[in-house]
Amino acid sequence: MSQKVDLYDSAYGNYVSDTYRRVRIETYGEDFGQTSWVTTEESNEIPQLLDLRSNSFVLEVGFGSGGYALHLAEKVGCRLVGLDINALGVRNANELALARGLDSLARFEQCDASKDLPFDDDSFDAVFSNDVLCHLPRRPEVLGEMFRILKPGGRMLFSDALVVGGLLSIEEIATRSSIGFYVYSPPGENERLIERAGFRRIRVTDTTVSASRVAKQWHDAREKNKEKLVAAEGDINFEGLQRFLSCVHTLTGERRLLRYLYFAKKDS
């Protein structure tokens, strides 16, 4: 069985490190502080899918380092709130917002998003979450809260890289789950829960091939920068993360784990 390894604390704690920045650029081609399977193409599509404008008020559930949220605030001019449970990520995001002069547009709060969201009904024009809902228990309630805080006509988007597409061994599940708590879902379950929460006009995009490619590029970029990463993380954690990324690449490449992007609207 795979032991637990740290991805998020090391990524956010070493955000400003040239080595970690180099790994992100070699993985994604662009540096938003990513720790997900979102390609640059998908990052560019999200504002269009959510129809973001300068007067939009947006919620990101699980913002990670805050880099992508700040990119949206800077590019679109929208106001944005980010929620994340990781204290290092929250600190990093607020420091970045202040340093880039975006603190009037974006704020970041520590919050367990699997519980009731700390916002009034009909508060946001859009809500999105990149590869985060799979970390949260109570998915029906989470989607219900996302529906509640959206204004009529609001848009919702999230991705899930843990849709089961084939046979998985206990060792593979343990390795894939080695970086934290995960919920695996059967095909069609997210669509059912999205509709049950009240959303309509559901659109689903299969992004499994992209997730497999990101995992391979991330693994290879880390291997290329092994010496400095080992100095920052230690041998055991480095090798654990390499096994994790190799496992993601294999399972998505063989379509035994699938990644889908879900988009839906709250009726006006």
Side-chain angles (χ1 to χ4, degrees), residues 50-58 76-80 125-126 151 155:
L50 294 175
D51 192 27
L52 299 187
R53 304 169 187 271
S54 59
N55 62 349
S56 297
F57 190 28
V58 185
V76 180
C78 56
R79 292 187 299 128
L80 192 143
D125 298 291
K151 298 174 183 178
R155 283 84 54 198

Side-chain angles (χ1 to χ4, degrees), residues 191-257:
E191 293 91 323
R192 185 183 74 81
L193 294 177
I194 292 168
E195 187 170 4
R196 177 177 142 184
F199 290 101
R200 298 293 178 263
R201 285 177 265 183
I202 300 167
R203 189 190 320 163
V204 184
T205 305
D206 187 338
T207 60
T208 308
V209 171
S210 297
S212 183
R213 184 173 70 249
V214 168
K216 177 71 162 57
Q217 290 169 179
W218 194 352
H219 175 280
D220 291 352
R222 283 176 53 83
E223 198 67 39
K224 184 177 173 182
N225 293 275
K226 179 176 180 176
E227 184 178 347
K228 292 184 178 179
L229 290 173
V230 167
E233 300 172 0
D235 285 295
I236 293 174
N237 204 72
F238 177 85
E239 294 301 338
L241 284 176
Q242 294 303 86
R243 284 193 300 273
F244 164 77
L245 292 168
S246 180
C247 180
V248 175
H249 173 62
T250 297
L251 294 179
T252 50
E254 296 175 0
R255 297 191 62 81
R256 290 188 284 136
L257 273 183

Side-chain angles (χ1 to χ4, degrees), residues 21-254:
R21 172 175 167 75
R22 188 160 53 249
V23 168
R24 292 191 295 266
I25 291 174
E26 290 175 9
T27 300
Y28 303 99
E30 199 163 6
D31 180 18
F32 296 136
Q34 307 96 310
T35 53
S36 71
W37 317 113
V38 182
T39 63
T40 297
E41 292 76 18
E42 187 177 313
S43 294
N44 292 335
E45 289 170 359
I46 288 174
Q48 283 72 47
L49 288 169
L50 294 175
D51 192 27
L52 299 187
R53 304 169 187 271
S54 59
N55 62 349
S56 297
F57 190 28
V58 185
L59 174 67
E60 181 176 11
V61 177
F63 57 80
S65 69
Y68 181 67
L70 291 172
H71 167 74
L72 290 181
E74 192 168 48
K75 179 180 178 182
V76 180
C78 56
R79 292 187 299 128
L80 192 143
V81 176
L83 302 179
D84 204 290
I85 200 167
N86 187 286
L88 285 174
V90 175
R91 185 185 70 184
N92 185 79
N94 281 311
E95 288 177 353
L96 277 177
L98 190 62
R100 293 168 60 176
L102 295 169
D103 51 308
S104 63
L105 289 177
R107 75 176 192 269
F108 302 95
E109 303 173 3
Q110 189 170 12
C111 176
D112 182 352
S114 69
K115 300 176 180 176
D116 292 348
L117 299 178
F119 306 109
D120 293 334
D121 296 357
D122 306 337
S123 294
F124 293 91
D125 298 291
V127 56
F128 72 99
S129 185
N130 288 324
D131 298 323
V132 171
L133 264 61
C134 58
H135 288 290
L136 303 179
R138 303 176 68 248
R139 189 170 306 179
E141 290 78 10
V142 172
L143 289 168
E145 281 291 282
M146 292 168 78
F147 182 85
R148 179 185 67 78
I149 58 94
L150 275 177
K151 298 174 183 178
R155 283 84 54 198
M156 182 276 295
L157 180 150
F158 76 93
S159 49
D160 184 0
L162 289 178
V163 178
V164 177
L167 299 176
L168 302 169
S169 71
I170 188 171
E171 290 83 4
E172 288 167 332
I173 292 173
T175 301
R176 183 60 180 83
S177 305
S178 61
I179 66 167
F181 176 85
Y182 275 125
V183 176
Y184 294 74
S185 38
E189 182 68 0
N190 282 320
E191 293 91 323
R192 185 183 74 81
L193 294 177
I194 292 168
E195 187 170 4
R196 177 177 142 184
F199 290 101
R200 298 293 178 263
R201 285 177 265 183
I202 300 167
R203 189 190 320 163
V204 184
T205 305
D206 187 338
T207 60
T208 308
V209 171
S210 297
S212 183
R213 184 173 70 249
V214 168
K216 177 71 162 57
Q217 290 169 179
W218 194 352
H219 175 280
D220 291 352
R222 283 176 53 83
E223 198 67 39
K224 184 177 173 182
N225 293 275
K226 179 176 180 176
E227 184 178 347
K228 292 184 178 179
L229 290 173
V230 167
E233 300 172 0
D235 285 295
I236 293 174
N237 204 72
F238 177 85
E239 294 301 338
L241 284 176
Q242 294 303 86
R243 284 193 300 273
F244 164 77
L245 292 168
S246 180
C247 180
V248 175
H249 173 62
T250 297
L251 294 179
T252 50
E254 296 175 0

